[in-house]
Amino acid sequence: MGAHLDHHLAGDRLVDAARNALVHAGEQWTEMRADVFAALAALQKPASAYDIARNVSALRDKPVAPNSVYRILDLFVRTNLARRVESANAYVVNSHPGCRHDCIFLICDSCGQAMHLDDDVLTGALRQAAAAAGFAEVRPVVEIRGLCRECA
């Protein structure tokens, strides 16, 4: 399978897919998790746990600790509901939670927007190279920085 940008969900369809994926993974879809997911999905660029905690606090009209948000975000990453942008220590919603691929992020240095694409050929080659070097349980992290179409 080569590069693709497909079947991205939004709105209620995204929330339904996320809830189903989390429940299928044996986890509960709680109000707090739903609020964190909604806050993350509403953002147009990668956000820190602090940004998300601030938004959820405003939504709930009471303080929400960033540590609680970090735990939920870790769960979302493990269950493929969110992706972590390593270089920014930030998170983005996975707009196709039922699909598992190693993510390649394209990050705009001007506006901060991040888009991702899946290229199983490229990430597969990285996995093979790492395995040949003796690494096990490889998780490729590929982030490309530059200017997006709008900022270029």
Side-chain angles (χ1 to χ4, degrees), residues 3-15:
H4 61 277
L5 292 165
D6 60 354
H7 61 277
H8 295 270
L9 302 174
D12 290 341
R13 291 182 61 215
L14 176 59
V15 172

Side-chain angles (χ1 to χ4, degrees), residues 74-91:
D74 287 344
L75 171 67
F76 286 174
V77 169
R78 278 193 318 275
T79 55
N80 203 37
L81 304 185
R83 306 283 187 156
R84 186 167 187 270
V85 179
E86 302 285 342
S87 63
N89 191 24
Y91 299 84

